[in-house]
Every structure is written in structure tokens, then in C-alpha cells.
Short mmCIF file of all heavy atoms in Angstrom, two decimals:
data_model
loop_
_atom_site.label_atom_id
_atom_site.label_comp_id
_atom_site.label_asym_id
_atom_site.label_seq_id
_atom_site.Cartn_x
_atom_site.Cartn_y
_atom_site.Cartn_z
N MET A 1 0.85 -1.19 0.00
CA MET A 1 0.00 0.00 0.00
C MET A 1 0.88 1.24 0.00
O MET A 1 1.78 1.36 0.82
CB MET A 1 -0.90 -0.02 1.24
CG MET A 1 -1.87 1.13 1.29
SD MET A 1 -2.82 1.14 2.83
CE MET A 1 -3.57 -0.48 2.82
N ALA A 2 0.62 2.11 -0.94
CA ALA A 2 1.42 3.33 -1.04
C ALA A 2 0.70 4.49 -0.37
O ALA A 2 -0.53 4.55 -0.36
CB ALA A 2 1.68 3.66 -2.50
N ALA A 3 1.46 5.40 0.18
CA ALA A 3 0.88 6.56 0.82
C ALA A 3 0.64 7.69 -0.17
O ALA A 3 0.07 8.70 0.16
CB ALA A 3 1.79 7.05 1.94
N VAL A 4 1.09 7.46 -1.40
CA VAL A 4 0.97 8.49 -2.42
C VAL A 4 -0.47 8.58 -2.91
O VAL A 4 -1.16 7.58 -3.05
CB VAL A 4 1.89 8.15 -3.62
CG1 VAL A 4 1.67 9.10 -4.77
CG2 VAL A 4 3.33 8.14 -3.16
N THR A 5 -0.89 9.79 -3.18
CA THR A 5 -2.20 9.97 -3.79
C THR A 5 -2.04 10.81 -5.05
O THR A 5 -1.07 11.56 -5.19
CB THR A 5 -3.19 10.67 -2.85
OG1 THR A 5 -2.66 11.93 -2.46
CG2 THR A 5 -3.49 9.83 -1.64
N TYR A 6 -2.98 10.66 -5.92
CA TYR A 6 -3.00 11.44 -7.15
C TYR A 6 -4.27 12.26 -7.18
O TYR A 6 -5.31 11.83 -6.66
CB TYR A 6 -2.95 10.52 -8.37
CG TYR A 6 -1.59 9.90 -8.60
CD1 TYR A 6 -1.12 8.89 -7.79
CD2 TYR A 6 -0.78 10.35 -9.63
CE1 TYR A 6 0.13 8.33 -7.99
CE2 TYR A 6 0.47 9.80 -9.86
CZ TYR A 6 0.92 8.79 -9.03
OH TYR A 6 2.16 8.25 -9.24
N THR A 7 -4.16 13.43 -7.79
CA THR A 7 -5.31 14.33 -7.89
C THR A 7 -5.63 14.57 -9.36
O THR A 7 -4.72 14.73 -10.17
CB THR A 7 -4.98 15.68 -7.22
OG1 THR A 7 -4.66 15.44 -5.85
CG2 THR A 7 -6.16 16.63 -7.29
N VAL A 8 -6.90 14.58 -9.68
CA VAL A 8 -7.34 14.87 -11.04
C VAL A 8 -7.81 16.33 -11.08
O VAL A 8 -8.69 16.73 -10.33
CB VAL A 8 -8.47 13.93 -11.48
CG1 VAL A 8 -8.95 14.28 -12.89
CG2 VAL A 8 -7.99 12.48 -11.43
N THR A 9 -7.20 17.09 -11.97
CA THR A 9 -7.49 18.52 -12.05
C THR A 9 -8.64 18.81 -13.03
O THR A 9 -9.14 17.90 -13.71
CB THR A 9 -6.25 19.30 -12.53
OG1 THR A 9 -6.03 19.00 -13.91
CG2 THR A 9 -5.03 18.94 -11.71
N ASP A 10 -9.02 20.07 -13.12
CA ASP A 10 -10.19 20.41 -13.94
C ASP A 10 -9.89 20.45 -15.44
O ASP A 10 -10.77 20.80 -16.22
CB ASP A 10 -10.82 21.72 -13.47
CG ASP A 10 -9.88 22.91 -13.57
OD1 ASP A 10 -8.77 22.75 -14.12
OD2 ASP A 10 -10.25 23.99 -13.09
N THR A 11 -8.68 20.07 -15.83
CA THR A 11 -8.43 19.92 -17.27
C THR A 11 -8.91 18.56 -17.77
O THR A 11 -8.88 18.29 -18.97
CB THR A 11 -6.94 20.10 -17.61
OG1 THR A 11 -6.19 19.10 -16.93
CG2 THR A 11 -6.44 21.47 -17.22
N CYS A 12 -9.37 17.72 -16.87
CA CYS A 12 -9.88 16.39 -17.24
C CYS A 12 -11.05 16.51 -18.20
O CYS A 12 -11.97 17.30 -17.98
CB CYS A 12 -10.32 15.66 -15.97
SG CYS A 12 -11.21 14.12 -16.27
N THR A 13 -11.01 15.71 -19.27
CA THR A 13 -12.07 15.72 -20.27
C THR A 13 -13.00 14.52 -20.11
O THR A 13 -13.84 14.26 -20.98
CB THR A 13 -11.47 15.71 -21.68
OG1 THR A 13 -10.68 14.53 -21.83
CG2 THR A 13 -10.62 16.94 -21.92
N ALA A 14 -12.82 13.77 -19.04
CA ALA A 14 -13.64 12.59 -18.76
C ALA A 14 -13.57 11.55 -19.87
O ALA A 14 -14.55 10.88 -20.17
CB ALA A 14 -15.09 13.00 -18.48
N CYS A 15 -12.38 11.40 -20.45
CA CYS A 15 -12.23 10.45 -21.55
C CYS A 15 -12.27 9.00 -21.08
O CYS A 15 -12.56 8.10 -21.86
CB CYS A 15 -10.93 10.72 -22.30
SG CYS A 15 -9.44 10.26 -21.38
N GLY A 16 -11.92 8.79 -19.82
CA GLY A 16 -11.99 7.44 -19.27
C GLY A 16 -10.73 6.61 -19.42
O GLY A 16 -10.69 5.47 -18.96
N ALA A 17 -9.71 7.15 -20.06
CA ALA A 17 -8.49 6.37 -20.31
C ALA A 17 -7.83 5.91 -19.01
O ALA A 17 -7.33 4.79 -18.93
CB ALA A 17 -7.51 7.20 -21.13
N CYS A 18 -7.84 6.75 -18.03
CA CYS A 18 -7.19 6.38 -16.76
C CYS A 18 -7.93 5.23 -16.09
O CYS A 18 -7.31 4.33 -15.52
CB CYS A 18 -7.11 7.58 -15.84
SG CYS A 18 -8.68 8.40 -15.53
N LEU A 19 -9.23 5.25 -16.18
CA LEU A 19 -10.03 4.18 -15.57
C LEU A 19 -9.68 2.84 -16.19
O LEU A 19 -9.59 1.83 -15.50
CB LEU A 19 -11.53 4.45 -15.78
CG LEU A 19 -12.11 5.71 -15.16
CD1 LEU A 19 -13.55 5.89 -15.62
CD2 LEU A 19 -12.05 5.65 -13.65
N LEU A 20 -9.49 2.84 -17.50
CA LEU A 20 -9.20 1.61 -18.22
C LEU A 20 -7.76 1.17 -18.03
O LEU A 20 -7.44 -0.01 -18.14
CB LEU A 20 -9.49 1.80 -19.72
CG LEU A 20 -10.95 2.12 -20.07
CD1 LEU A 20 -11.08 2.45 -21.54
CD2 LEU A 20 -11.85 0.94 -19.71
N THR A 21 -6.90 2.12 -17.75
CA THR A 21 -5.46 1.83 -17.66
C THR A 21 -5.03 1.37 -16.28
O THR A 21 -4.16 0.50 -16.16
CB THR A 21 -4.66 3.09 -18.06
OG1 THR A 21 -4.99 3.42 -19.40
CG2 THR A 21 -3.17 2.86 -17.91
N CYS A 22 -5.62 1.93 -15.27
CA CYS A 22 -5.15 1.65 -13.91
C CYS A 22 -5.25 0.15 -13.59
O CYS A 22 -6.34 -0.41 -13.55
CB CYS A 22 -5.95 2.45 -12.89
SG CYS A 22 -5.40 2.10 -11.20
N PRO A 23 -4.11 -0.50 -13.34
CA PRO A 23 -4.13 -1.94 -13.06
C PRO A 23 -4.74 -2.27 -11.71
O PRO A 23 -5.09 -3.42 -11.46
CB PRO A 23 -2.65 -2.33 -13.12
CG PRO A 23 -1.91 -1.08 -12.83
CD PRO A 23 -2.75 0.05 -13.35
N GLU A 24 -4.87 -1.26 -10.87
CA GLU A 24 -5.39 -1.50 -9.51
C GLU A 24 -6.84 -1.06 -9.34
O GLU A 24 -7.39 -1.14 -8.25
CB GLU A 24 -4.51 -0.77 -8.49
CG GLU A 24 -3.03 -1.08 -8.59
CD GLU A 24 -2.72 -2.56 -8.40
OE1 GLU A 24 -3.49 -3.23 -7.69
OE2 GLU A 24 -1.73 -3.04 -8.96
N HIS A 25 -7.43 -0.59 -10.43
CA HIS A 25 -8.81 -0.08 -10.37
C HIS A 25 -8.97 0.91 -9.22
O HIS A 25 -9.90 0.82 -8.42
CB HIS A 25 -9.81 -1.23 -10.24
CG HIS A 25 -9.64 -2.29 -11.28
ND1 HIS A 25 -9.98 -2.09 -12.59
CD2 HIS A 25 -9.11 -3.53 -11.21
CE1 HIS A 25 -9.70 -3.17 -13.30
NE2 HIS A 25 -9.17 -4.06 -12.48
N ALA A 26 -8.03 1.84 -9.16
CA ALA A 26 -7.98 2.79 -8.04
C ALA A 26 -8.83 4.03 -8.24
O ALA A 26 -9.05 4.77 -7.29
CB ALA A 26 -6.53 3.20 -7.79
N PHE A 27 -9.31 4.23 -9.47
CA PHE A 27 -10.09 5.45 -9.72
C PHE A 27 -11.53 5.27 -9.28
O PHE A 27 -12.15 4.22 -9.50
CB PHE A 27 -10.05 5.81 -11.21
CG PHE A 27 -8.76 6.48 -11.59
CD1 PHE A 27 -7.66 5.72 -11.97
CD2 PHE A 27 -8.63 7.86 -11.53
CE1 PHE A 27 -6.45 6.33 -12.30
CE2 PHE A 27 -7.43 8.48 -11.87
CZ PHE A 27 -6.34 7.70 -12.24
N VAL A 28 -12.05 6.30 -8.64
CA VAL A 28 -13.45 6.32 -8.22
C VAL A 28 -14.15 7.36 -9.08
O VAL A 28 -13.74 8.53 -9.13
CB VAL A 28 -13.56 6.71 -6.73
CG1 VAL A 28 -15.03 6.74 -6.30
CG2 VAL A 28 -12.76 5.74 -5.86
N VAL A 29 -15.19 6.92 -9.77
CA VAL A 29 -15.89 7.80 -10.69
C VAL A 29 -16.61 8.90 -9.93
O VAL A 29 -17.30 8.64 -8.94
CB VAL A 29 -16.90 7.00 -11.55
CG1 VAL A 29 -17.71 7.94 -12.43
CG2 VAL A 29 -16.15 5.99 -12.40
N GLY A 30 -16.43 10.11 -10.39
CA GLY A 30 -17.07 11.27 -9.78
C GLY A 30 -16.51 12.51 -10.44
O GLY A 30 -15.71 12.42 -11.37
N VAL A 31 -16.96 13.64 -10.01
CA VAL A 31 -16.46 14.91 -10.53
C VAL A 31 -15.89 15.71 -9.36
O VAL A 31 -16.66 16.22 -8.55
CB VAL A 31 -17.57 15.72 -11.24
CG1 VAL A 31 -17.00 17.02 -11.81
CG2 VAL A 31 -18.20 14.88 -12.34
N PRO A 32 -14.57 15.79 -9.22
CA PRO A 32 -13.58 15.17 -10.11
C PRO A 32 -13.40 13.69 -9.78
O PRO A 32 -13.86 13.22 -8.74
CB PRO A 32 -12.31 15.96 -9.79
CG PRO A 32 -12.46 16.29 -8.33
CD PRO A 32 -13.93 16.54 -8.14
N LEU A 33 -12.72 13.00 -10.68
CA LEU A 33 -12.32 11.63 -10.40
C LEU A 33 -11.44 11.61 -9.16
O LEU A 33 -10.66 12.53 -8.92
CB LEU A 33 -11.50 11.07 -11.58
CG LEU A 33 -12.26 10.70 -12.85
CD1 LEU A 33 -11.25 10.44 -13.96
CD2 LEU A 33 -13.12 9.48 -12.62
N GLN A 34 -11.55 10.56 -8.38
CA GLN A 34 -10.71 10.44 -7.19
C GLN A 34 -9.86 9.18 -7.33
O GLN A 34 -10.24 8.24 -8.01
CB GLN A 34 -11.60 10.31 -5.95
CG GLN A 34 -12.64 11.40 -5.82
CD GLN A 34 -12.27 12.44 -4.78
OE1 GLN A 34 -11.47 12.19 -3.90
NE2 GLN A 34 -12.87 13.60 -4.89
N VAL A 35 -8.72 9.20 -6.67
CA VAL A 35 -7.85 8.03 -6.66
C VAL A 35 -7.79 7.48 -5.23
O VAL A 35 -7.50 8.21 -4.29
CB VAL A 35 -6.42 8.39 -7.13
CG1 VAL A 35 -5.50 7.18 -7.01
CG2 VAL A 35 -6.46 8.87 -8.57
N ARG A 36 -8.08 6.22 -5.12
CA ARG A 36 -8.03 5.59 -3.80
C ARG A 36 -6.58 5.31 -3.42
O ARG A 36 -5.91 4.50 -4.05
CB ARG A 36 -8.82 4.27 -3.82
CG ARG A 36 -10.31 4.46 -3.87
CD ARG A 36 -11.04 3.14 -3.85
NE ARG A 36 -10.58 2.28 -2.75
CZ ARG A 36 -11.20 1.15 -2.41
NH1 ARG A 36 -12.26 0.76 -3.06
NH2 ARG A 36 -10.74 0.42 -1.41
N ALA A 37 -6.14 5.97 -2.36
CA ALA A 37 -4.76 5.80 -1.91
C ALA A 37 -4.49 4.39 -1.41
O ALA A 37 -3.36 3.92 -1.44
CB ALA A 37 -4.45 6.82 -0.82
N ASP A 38 -5.55 3.71 -0.98
CA ASP A 38 -5.33 2.35 -0.47
C ASP A 38 -5.18 1.33 -1.59
O ASP A 38 -4.82 0.18 -1.34
CB ASP A 38 -6.48 1.96 0.47
CG ASP A 38 -7.84 1.93 -0.21
OD1 ASP A 38 -8.04 2.71 -1.16
OD2 ASP A 38 -8.69 1.14 0.22
N ARG A 39 -5.44 1.76 -2.82
CA ARG A 39 -5.26 0.84 -3.95
C ARG A 39 -4.09 1.24 -4.84
O ARG A 39 -3.45 0.40 -5.45
CB ARG A 39 -6.53 0.80 -4.81
CG ARG A 39 -7.67 0.06 -4.17
CD ARG A 39 -8.73 -0.27 -5.21
NE ARG A 39 -9.77 -1.11 -4.64
CZ ARG A 39 -10.79 -1.61 -5.33
NH1 ARG A 39 -10.90 -1.35 -6.61
NH2 ARG A 39 -11.69 -2.37 -4.73
N CYS A 40 -3.85 2.53 -4.94
CA CYS A 40 -2.82 3.03 -5.85
C CYS A 40 -1.44 2.53 -5.44
O CYS A 40 -1.06 2.60 -4.27
CB CYS A 40 -2.83 4.56 -5.84
SG CYS A 40 -1.53 5.29 -6.86
N THR A 41 -0.68 2.02 -6.43
CA THR A 41 0.67 1.52 -6.18
C THR A 41 1.72 2.48 -6.71
O THR A 41 2.90 2.13 -6.79
CB THR A 41 0.86 0.15 -6.85
OG1 THR A 41 0.61 0.29 -8.25
CG2 THR A 41 -0.08 -0.89 -6.25
N ASP A 42 1.30 3.66 -7.13
CA ASP A 42 2.23 4.69 -7.60
C ASP A 42 2.96 4.26 -8.87
O ASP A 42 4.12 4.58 -9.06
CB ASP A 42 3.22 5.03 -6.48
CG ASP A 42 3.96 6.34 -6.72
OD1 ASP A 42 3.48 7.16 -7.54
OD2 ASP A 42 5.03 6.53 -6.12
N CYS A 43 2.26 3.52 -9.73
CA CYS A 43 2.92 3.02 -10.95
C CYS A 43 3.10 4.11 -11.99
O CYS A 43 3.96 4.00 -12.86
CB CYS A 43 2.11 1.87 -11.54
SG CYS A 43 0.55 2.35 -12.30
N GLY A 44 2.26 5.14 -11.94
CA GLY A 44 2.40 6.26 -12.86
C GLY A 44 1.77 6.07 -14.22
O GLY A 44 1.83 6.95 -15.08
N GLU A 45 1.14 4.93 -14.45
CA GLU A 45 0.58 4.66 -15.78
C GLU A 45 -0.54 5.63 -16.14
O GLU A 45 -0.70 6.01 -17.30
CB GLU A 45 0.06 3.22 -15.85
CG GLU A 45 1.17 2.19 -15.84
CD GLU A 45 0.65 0.78 -16.00
OE1 GLU A 45 -0.37 0.58 -16.69
OE2 GLU A 45 1.26 -0.13 -15.43
N CYS A 46 -1.32 6.03 -15.17
CA CYS A 46 -2.42 6.95 -15.45
C CYS A 46 -1.90 8.31 -15.90
O CYS A 46 -2.46 8.93 -16.81
CB CYS A 46 -3.33 7.10 -14.24
SG CYS A 46 -2.48 7.62 -12.74
N VAL A 47 -0.83 8.75 -15.27
CA VAL A 47 -0.23 10.04 -15.64
C VAL A 47 0.26 9.99 -17.08
O VAL A 47 0.08 10.94 -17.85
CB VAL A 47 0.93 10.39 -14.68
CG1 VAL A 47 1.62 11.67 -15.12
CG2 VAL A 47 0.42 10.52 -13.26
N GLU A 48 0.85 8.86 -17.45
CA GLU A 48 1.39 8.70 -18.81
C GLU A 48 0.28 8.67 -19.85
O GLU A 48 0.43 9.21 -20.93
CB GLU A 48 2.21 7.40 -18.90
CG GLU A 48 3.49 7.43 -18.09
CD GLU A 48 4.46 8.49 -18.61
OE1 GLU A 48 4.63 8.59 -19.84
OE2 GLU A 48 5.02 9.22 -17.78
N ILE A 49 -0.84 8.04 -19.52
CA ILE A 49 -1.90 7.84 -20.51
C ILE A 49 -2.81 9.05 -20.65
O ILE A 49 -3.44 9.24 -21.69
CB ILE A 49 -2.74 6.58 -20.16
CG1 ILE A 49 -3.43 6.01 -21.40
CG2 ILE A 49 -3.77 6.88 -19.07
CD1 ILE A 49 -2.52 5.28 -22.32
N CYS A 50 -2.90 9.89 -19.65
CA CYS A 50 -3.88 10.98 -19.67
C CYS A 50 -3.55 11.99 -20.77
O CYS A 50 -2.51 12.63 -20.73
CB CYS A 50 -3.92 11.69 -18.32
SG CYS A 50 -5.05 13.09 -18.33
N PRO A 51 -4.44 12.17 -21.74
CA PRO A 51 -4.20 13.08 -22.85
C PRO A 51 -4.33 14.55 -22.45
O PRO A 51 -3.91 15.42 -23.21
CB PRO A 51 -5.26 12.69 -23.88
CG PRO A 51 -6.37 12.13 -23.05
CD PRO A 51 -5.72 11.46 -21.88
N ALA A 52 -4.89 14.80 -21.29
CA ALA A 52 -5.11 16.18 -20.85
C ALA A 52 -4.12 16.61 -19.77
O ALA A 52 -4.24 17.72 -19.24
CB ALA A 52 -6.54 16.32 -20.33
N ASP A 53 -3.17 15.74 -19.46
CA ASP A 53 -2.22 16.03 -18.38
C ASP A 53 -2.94 16.48 -17.12
O ASP A 53 -2.54 17.42 -16.45
CB ASP A 53 -1.21 17.11 -18.81
CG ASP A 53 -0.29 16.61 -19.92
OD1 ASP A 53 -0.01 15.40 -19.96
OD2 ASP A 53 0.15 17.44 -20.73
N ALA A 54 -4.02 15.78 -16.83
CA ALA A 54 -4.89 16.20 -15.72
C ALA A 54 -4.58 15.49 -14.41
O ALA A 54 -5.15 15.85 -13.38
CB ALA A 54 -6.34 15.95 -16.10
N ILE A 55 -3.71 14.49 -14.44
CA ILE A 55 -3.45 13.72 -13.23
C ILE A 55 -2.10 14.15 -12.66
O ILE A 55 -1.07 14.06 -13.32
CB ILE A 55 -3.46 12.22 -13.51
CG1 ILE A 55 -4.76 11.83 -14.20
CG2 ILE A 55 -3.26 11.43 -12.23
CD1 ILE A 55 -4.81 10.38 -14.67
N VAL A 56 -2.14 14.62 -11.44
CA VAL A 56 -0.92 15.11 -10.81
C VAL A 56 -0.66 14.32 -9.52
O VAL A 56 -1.58 13.97 -8.78
CB VAL A 56 -1.00 16.62 -10.49
CG1 VAL A 56 -1.07 17.42 -11.78
CG2 VAL A 56 -2.18 16.94 -9.61
N ARG A 57 0.59 14.06 -9.29
CA ARG A 57 1.01 13.32 -8.10
C ARG A 57 0.95 14.30 -6.93
O ARG A 57 1.52 15.38 -7.00
CB ARG A 57 2.43 12.80 -8.30
CG ARG A 57 2.85 11.69 -7.37
CD ARG A 57 4.17 11.16 -7.87
NE ARG A 57 4.63 9.99 -7.12
CZ ARG A 57 5.38 10.06 -6.04
NH1 ARG A 57 5.76 11.23 -5.59
NH2 ARG A 57 5.77 8.97 -5.41
N ALA A 58 0.29 13.91 -5.88
CA ALA A 58 0.15 14.82 -4.75
C ALA A 58 0.72 14.19 -3.49
O ALA A 58 0.87 13.01 -3.41
CB ALA A 58 -1.33 15.15 -4.52
S1 SF4 B 101 -0.44 5.51 -10.37
FE1 SF4 B 101 -0.97 3.47 -11.18
S2 SF4 B 101 -2.08 2.43 -9.54
FE2 SF4 B 101 -2.05 4.62 -9.05
S3 SF4 B 101 -3.98 5.44 -9.88
FE3 SF4 B 101 -2.39 5.70 -11.46
S4 SF4 B 101 -2.51 3.87 -12.76
FE4 SF4 B 101 -3.60 3.45 -10.84
S1 SF4 B 102 -7.26 10.03 -18.62
FE1 SF4 B 102 -7.12 12.19 -17.92
S2 SF4 B 102 -8.66 13.28 -19.15
FE2 SF4 B 102 -9.12 11.10 -19.29
S3 SF4 B 102 -10.65 10.73 -17.64
FE3 SF4 B 102 -8.59 10.28 -16.81
S4 SF4 B 102 -7.93 12.21 -15.84
FE4 SF4 B 102 -9.62 12.71 -17.20
#
């Protein structure tokens, strides 16, 4: 379990790519999207895939 959390900013276009990419299913659907810190392993794949650069490591 990682203590790192990620934040989705308002540049998100709700494309859904991060939801499909996250191997841990850590994203919680909402506005804004939330990342469950208890699931996220800090792999960084969501940051790489996001076309809007909306996911920031916090
Ligand atoms: S860093 Fe990896 S595990 Fe964490 S939310 Fe992004 S894709 Fe999922
Ligand atoms: S990949 Fe980026 S733009 Fe697409 S839903 Fe996720 S945070 Fe939003």
C-alpha cells in the first residue's frame, strides 16, 4: 500500500483512459475523479496515458 495519492485537475475531459489503464482499479468515478490511496501503487501509468495532463502526483 502506497501513501501516495494522485489528484485529477479540472483539465480532465472525462475520456476514461485512466479508468481503463489503472491496473489496480484505483479510480473512483465522480467529478472530479478520485484516486483511492489504499489501492494506488504509484505506478504512474495513469499520468502517462492521460491526454489532458490532468493527473498530478500529490
Ligand atoms: S499511479 Fe498506477 S495504480 Fe495509481 S492510480 Fe495511477 S494507474 Fe492506478
Ligand atoms: S485520462 Fe485524464 S482526461 Fe481522461 S478521464 Fe482520466 S484524468 Fe480525465
Side-chain angles (χ1 to χ4, degrees):
M1 183 185 303
V4 173
T5 57
Y6 286 74
T7 301
V8 178
T9 71
D10 61 7
T11 61
C12 171
T13 60
C15 71
C18 54
L19 298 173
L20 298 173
T21 299
C22 179
E24 307 301 331
H25 307 289
F27 282 87
V28 179
V29 175
V31 182
L33 286 169
Q34 307 256 340
V35 176
R36 287 182 51 170
D38 62 330
R39 287 196 174 184
C40 177
T41 58
D42 196 19
C43 72
E45 290 184 33
C46 55
V47 176
E48 292 297 315
I49 203 75
C50 178
D53 293 330
I55 306 174
V56 295
R57 198 171 185 270

